[in-house]
């Protein structure tokens, strides 16, 4: 059973460009979470999505960041007009969401974004 | 979600048991205790979780005190590859509050 897949694993962008990060959840999982880890810092929650719905975006920066999880295809985290401060590791996690049974999130290997 | 407190670091000898403590004195009755680890800069790896009872799997054991205010993760035979940052997280399992709140964790160093 393949785990959570993320691509690209490494992404280099110049300031002002757009970054698109993709996440394919584990087979059968319909819930996706995005986390960001800035250099030398801990992981911070960004957004929680179900298919075609954003459930919790309390950790998303108000501007330039957006996320989607369409009915078909991977979840996409999109960063417009990137700045150097966006350089970080972005991790995606997925879960099966058996409510009341302890919902375990499984993480992907991450995408390392470097903004020049 | 309740806050957890972990020592910043600890070490143990290879082959010995590693006992990683976690305090969560404000935990609510419906909050689970989760443990994850992050090896170097890899993605966090799920280890184990529990609600009230002690749990064991192929990776580790989780001992939760009767009052649920603290827990201990036990790696029975630590290896060099267990060197990582270990995160103890408590979380309510409801749909809208499913996010994991990571603290600083405890850095475990396994020495040869």
């Amino acid at each position: 059973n393949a785990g959570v897949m993320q691509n690209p694993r490494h992404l280099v962008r110049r300031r002002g460009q757009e970054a698109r990060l993709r996440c394919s959840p584990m087979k059968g999982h319909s819930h996706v979470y995005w986390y960001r880890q800035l250099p030398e810092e801990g992981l911070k929650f960004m957004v929680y999505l179900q298919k075609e719905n954003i459930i919790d975006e309390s950790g998303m920066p108000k501007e330039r960041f957006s996320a989607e999880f369409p009915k078909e295809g991977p979840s996409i985290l999109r960063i417009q007009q990137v700045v150097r401060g966006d350089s970080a590791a972005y991790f995606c996690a997925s879960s099966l969401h058996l409510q009341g049974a302890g919902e375990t999130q499984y993480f992907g290997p991450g995408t390392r974004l470097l903004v020049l | 979600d309740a806050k957890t407190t972990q020592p910043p670091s600890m070490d143990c000898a290879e082959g010995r048991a590693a006992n990683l403590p976690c305090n969560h004195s404000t935990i609510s009755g419906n909050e689970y205790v989760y443990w994850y680890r992050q090896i170097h800069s890899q993605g966090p790896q799920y280890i184990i979780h529990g609600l009230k009872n002690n749990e064991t799997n192929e990776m580790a054991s989780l001992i939760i005190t009767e009052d649920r205010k603290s827990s201990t993760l036990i790696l029975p035979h630590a290896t060099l590859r267990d060197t990582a940052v270990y995160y103890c997280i408590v979380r309510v399992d409801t749909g809208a509050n499913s996010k994991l709140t990571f603290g600083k964790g405890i850095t475990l160093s396994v020495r040869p």
Side-chain angles (χ1 to χ4, degrees):
Chain A
N1 184 18
V4 177
M5 299 175 67
Q6 292 187 247
N7 67 81
R9 297 289 303 276
H10 300 272
L11 183 61
V12 179
R13 285 287 178 265
R14 296 191 182 279
R15 282 178 297 169
Q17 291 184 320
E18 179 180 286
R20 282 187 176 234
L21 289 62
R22 297 175 194 80
C23 169
S24 296
M26 288 178 68
K27 186 177 181 180
H29 287 193
S30 60
H31 296 248
V32 165
Y33 310 77
W34 286 92
Y35 295 82
R36 178 168 67 173
Q37 188 169 33
L38 294 169
E40 306 304 323
E41 293 190 17
L43 291 110
K44 303 294 183 187
F45 166 79
M46 299 181 75
V47 63
Y48 164 31
L49 309 104
Q50 297 176 20
K51 287 282 187 181
E52 300 184 282
N53 287 306
I54 295 176
I55 306 303
D56 179 2
E57 57 182 347
S58 58
M60 286 282 270
K62 294 289 185 274
E63 298 178 346
R64 303 186 297 108
F65 284 72
S66 63
E68 63 177 10
F69 189 17
K71 187 176 181 181
E72 301 291 337
S75 175
I76 306 288
L77 179 67
R78 181 184 179 200
I79 311 172
Q80 295 179 290
Q81 300 176 327
V82 296
V83 301
R84 288 205 174 120
D86 296 332
S87 296
Y90 292 82
F91 294 100
C92 167
S94 73
S95 72
L96 188 59
H97 196 67
L98 295 174
Q99 196 164 28
E103 175 187 310
T104 300
Q105 296 179 25
Y106 296 92
F107 284 79
T111 293
R112 273 81 183 161
L113 172 65
L114 175 63
V115 180
L116 302 177
Chain B
D1 292 338
K3 184 178 177 181
T4 63
T5 304
Q6 300 177 257
S9 64
M10 68 176 291
D11 63 13
C12 75
E14 189 177 19
R16 305 296 293 267
N19 298 302
L20 285 69
C22 180
N23 287 322
H24 31 80
S25 58
T26 60
I27 192 170
S28 300
N30 59 349
E31 286 184 310
Y32 289 80
V33 179
Y34 279 80
W35 283 83
Y36 283 81
R37 72 180 182 184
Q38 189 174 26
I39 297 173
H40 192 42
S41 55
Q42 298 178 20
Q45 179 186 21
Y46 165 76
I47 302 173
I48 198 167
H49 76 280
L51 183 61
K52 295 180 181 178
N53 300 322
N54 298 336
E55 302 288 344
T56 295
N57 62 21
E58 66 278 2
M59 289 184 68
S61 294
L62 174 61
I63 308 299
I64 303 174
T65 57
E66 194 168 340
D67 63 7
R68 302 210 324 124
K69 293 185 176 182
S70 66
S71 60
T72 301
L73 178 73
I74 301 173
L75 306 178
H77 305 287
T79 71
L80 298 178
R81 287 177 292 181
D82 292 321
T83 292
V85 179
Y86 287 77
Y87 298 98
C88 169
I89 300 167
V90 293
R91 178 170 73 92
V92 174
D93 180 34
T94 60
N97 294 321
S98 295
K99 64 185 177 188
L100 294 170
T101 302
F102 288 83
K104 295 184 178 180
I106 177 172
T107 299
L108 173 67
S109 300
V110 181
R111 61 181 188 276

